[in-house]
Amino acid sequence: MSNRHERVTRRSILKATTVAGTAAIAGCSGGSGGSDGGDSGGTTAGTASGDSGASSRTIKQGYLLPLTGDLGSLGTPMRNAGTMAADQVNEADIAISVDTQEEDTETTVPAAIDGANALANAGYPMMVGAATSNIEIGNRVFVPKGMLACSPSNTLPTLSTFEDDGLFFRTTPGDQYQGFAMAQAASERLDGVETAATTYINDDYGQLLSQWFADHFEQTFGGTVQNQVVHDPVQSSYSSKLQTALADDPDLFVVVSYPQSAVQLFRDYYADHDTGRPLMLTDGTKDPTLSKRVGNPMEEAVGTMPAAAGPTYDAFTSAFQEEYGNPASAFTAQTYDASAITLLANAAAGENDGQAVAGQMNAVANPGGTEVTLDNLAEGVEMAANGEEIQYLGAASNVDFDENGDLQSGSYEIWEFTEDTETGINRLDVVDVNQEQALNPGSN
């Protein structure tokens, strides 16, 4: 309890510190002292005087996302959304530029740790990512090296209390919230669902989301979870796992997995089991190509995922479509927000130092100051560099952080596969989940 109090106090102090009064912290995350990989003459952007605008400097922005492996189909468009924010700054007529480096996690923890080390060793003080496994990467890399990480998609509940030295933020809510949204959808949207079984991918995301769903389904909505069965990624057959999970003939089958694994899992499911049973999927399998790869329209499936429903969501989807020729997909809006907010915080900090950037994250995100959106991001970077008070309003949400670096509220979309839309996904509804509902199963 004492550690958490100290962390809250430190964040509050950092938020109250003005750009002009911020003391430079010696050494960037790459281990070098003096100038920090592109800052001009050691001058911080926040100390520019008169009407001359921000001093010329380069922001160093890293990206650590799954470009290959089980999450590769989601990670590539996420990367595109993140670099779109950097491109907006580079293409603007301002004195600040952005230097970027991308690393592929390959959807494995060892590769993610290698990628994080590559960014830190190259002098990048902050990264957008990782998509998963931030606690282990944090313990190995970004906490000991003083590197800020802002994940667009890591929903692990345990990240809320992770001893991260104030260096971890995320632009998506934790799975305590999603567990409630899943249980509520199962109980109130689906007819006659009183029992359920789950199978979940063999990692913290899968295990914890399955458990939070079970807690809410049983304690809040009075259902029964008969079996929770773990499965490994990318297996040649999931028949035995399915047999175990469905042994008691549940009313609902919940699958927490990733696209590459889910393809074979659902092929086995449709080959051997009752296809009239409702299915529930989660954010990890919201891939518009999944049903086609499975070879089944999956009409009985509904899913949940953190909703992208921020003030500038429509503007973001239009800009993403125009830039890349493809519709915005899962977690792209959250990735844009993570990139934009860290660029703004770095500009406000005036130096490529992870702790200094972390000290500005709440200040540029939470209410107060000139509103900055996708439409004026480069101008916002310039304002932040000049020490002006700003508030970023995002594509996925308002991006209001609490003392733990978490979003202060959670919204979830209920979705289904469809062949009638360009995206292959139909949004059925958006539901809001408050903190009391999320963190206290059975409290309703």
Side-chain angles (χ1 to χ4, degrees):
M1 181 65 70
S2 60
N3 287 339
R4 178 166 181 164
H5 174 72
E6 289 169 6
R7 181 181 177 192
V8 171
T9 301
R10 187 194 63 76
R11 282 190 185 273
S12 300
I13 291 171
L14 287 171
K15 181 179 178 182
T17 303
T18 63
V19 173
T22 301
I25 301 174
C28 69
S29 62
S32 62
S35 65
D36 53 354
D39 289 359
S40 177
T43 301
T44 62
T47 59
S49 59
D51 297 326
S52 60
S55 299
S56 177
R57 66 178 294 258
T58 299
I59 293 172
K60 294 178 73 68
Q61 172 75 289
Y63 297 89
L64 184 68
L65 294 167
L67 306 180
T68 58
D70 212 353
L71 285 173
S73 62
L74 300 180
T76 299
M78 289 169 66
R79 184 274 315 276
N80 291 343
T83 56
M84 188 170 80
D87 290 343
Q88 286 179 273
V89 177
N90 283 331
E91 293 167 5
D93 185 20
I94 63 175
I96 297 171
S97 62
V98 184
D99 168 37
T100 65
Q101 180 169 315
E102 303 169 10
E103 296 293 336
D104 181 9
T105 70
E106 303 173 15
T107 323
T108 70
V109 173
I113 291 171
D114 288 345
N117 272 315
L119 292 172
N121 294 338
Y124 289 84
M126 60 188 194
M127 68 179 187
V128 174
T132 59
S133 308
N134 278 75
I135 289 180
E136 190 163 358
I137 301 170
N139 286 331
R140 299 278 195 92
V141 186
F142 72 73
V143 172
K145 295 191 177 184
M147 185 181 190
L148 178 139
C150 186
S151 176
S153 58
N154 194 322
T155 57
L156 285 181
T158 47
L159 286 169
S160 298
T161 54
F162 169 43
E163 293 299 328
D164 62 355
D165 286 348
L167 290 164
F168 178 74
F169 295 78
R170 53 180 162 180
T171 53
T172 191
D175 276 331
Q176 308 98 312
Y177 292 77
Q178 187 164 199
F180 179 92
M182 293 166 64
Q184 183 183 59
S187 300
E188 298 180 359
R189 294 189 69 93
L190 303 177
D191 293 334
V193 171
E194 297 180 356
T195 61
T198 77
T199 184
Y200 58 88
I201 195 79
N202 189 14
D203 62 12
D204 287 344
Y205 160 74
Q207 189 272 323
L208 291 172
L209 183 50
S210 177
Q211 191 57 56
W212 276 100
F213 163 76
D215 290 347
H216 282 299
F217 187 65
E218 293 185 341
Q219 298 177 40
T220 306
F221 296 98
T224 299
V225 175
Q226 298 166 329
N227 297 297
Q228 297 185 67
V229 177
V230 65
H231 65 263
D232 289 326
V234 196
Q235 300 295 296
S236 60
S237 174
Y238 290 96
S239 295
S240 63
K241 296 293 185 179
L242 292 168
Q243 190 68 35
T244 302
L246 301 171
D248 296 317
D249 193 25
D251 299 326
L252 173 70
F253 185 34
V254 178
V255 177
V256 184
S257 193
Y258 301 138
Q260 193 171 339
S261 301
V263 170
Q264 186 61 50
L265 189 151
F266 282 116
R267 285 174 179 170
D268 293 341
Y269 174 79
Y270 285 113
D272 299 329
H273 297 277
D274 176 15
T275 57
R277 177 189 291 110
L279 298 172
M280 178 164 287
L281 282 64
T282 61
D283 49 320
T285 45
K286 192 194 175 190
D287 181 342
T289 70
L290 180 63
S291 61
K292 292 180 181 178
R293 292 159 65 192
V294 170
N296 189 291
M298 302 181 69
E299 294 176 343
E300 69 282 4
V302 297
T304 61
M305 76 162 289
T312 62
Y313 179 67
D314 289 340
F316 166 75
T317 57
S318 296
F320 188 91
Q321 174 81 46
E322 181 178 352
E323 181 70 19
Y324 297 107
N326 296 307
S329 55
F331 292 111
T332 50
Q334 289 87 345
T335 309
Y336 180 88
D337 288 345
S339 184
I341 203 75
T342 50
L343 293 173
L344 292 165
N346 188 303
E351 58 180 322
N352 282 310
D353 181 283
Q355 286 285 3
V357 176
Q360 295 297 329
M361 289 286 283
N362 288 59
V364 300
N366 291 13
T370 303
E371 292 183 355
V372 174
T373 69
L374 174 145
D375 293 328
N376 66 337
L377 177 62
E379 181 183 354
V381 166
E382 194 169 39
M383 287 190 289
N386 284 328
E388 298 178 39
E389 187 177 4
I390 62 169
Q391 177 193 359
Y392 176 71
L393 298 177
S397 71
N398 284 333
V399 198
D400 292 342
F401 294 120
D402 68 11
E403 68 274 9
N404 296 317
D406 285 338
L407 296 182
Q408 298 196 49
S409 60
S411 296
Y412 287 84
E413 71 172 52
I414 312 299
W415 56 271
E416 65 180 356
F417 294 112
T418 179
E419 297 181 357
D420 297 332
T421 67
E422 185 179 6
T423 64
I425 299 288
N426 181 41
R427 176 182 281 189
L428 297 170
D429 199 3
V430 174
V431 297
D432 296 322
V433 181
N434 65 50
Q435 193 171 66
E436 176 67 19
Q437 291 172 322
L439 302 184
N440 301 284
S443 63
N444 288 12

